[in-house]
Amino acid sequence: MRVVVNIKDNKFKLEDGAIIRAKDLGGEFVIEANSLGLISLAKHLLILASDKFESGEHIHYEAGIMLDNESADFVIEKI
């Protein structure tokens, strides 16, 4: 598999068909995703890791927007 990430395009969008859900199991946080969802998350992490973003900048993942409707919300922040 070959995936191209354009770091200059700093838009945190999902691949068409991506499914991502998160569960807070009280002591353990689980992220579930199909292949397209995992590719989307990987791209988001690579973009956030780039020099375009500074410490403290973050991505919000919210149920019904970036995540499946039944998901727990979460944030990934660069330190």
Side-chain angles (χ1 to χ4, degrees):
M1 173 191 305
R2 181 174 178 204
V3 177
V4 177
V5 179
N6 184 357
I7 299 297
K8 292 179 182 179
D9 176 15
N10 60 359
K11 294 184 177 35
F12 297 103
K13 57 187 175 190
L14 297 177
E15 299 291 310
D16 289 337
I19 299 171
I20 304 169
R21 65 177 70 102
K23 298 177 184 176
D24 183 353
L25 302 178
E28 186 172 58
F29 192 76
V30 178
I31 297 174
E32 302 174 329
N34 65 2
S35 293
L36 293 170
L38 291 171
I39 290 168
S40 297
L41 287 171
K43 285 181 174 183
H44 295 177
L45 292 172
L46 288 168
I47 292 168
L48 187 61
S50 74
D51 292 339
K52 292 186 130 213
F53 293 91
E54 298 180 10
S55 177
E57 295 194 79
H58 55 274
I59 311 165
H60 286 265
Y61 293 86
E62 298 176 8
I65 299 173
M66 294 279 269
L67 303 172
D68 199 49
N69 288 334
E70 304 300 318
S71 292
D73 295 349
F74 68 95
V75 174
I76 297 177
E77 184 172 322
K78 184 174 185 175
I79 59 171

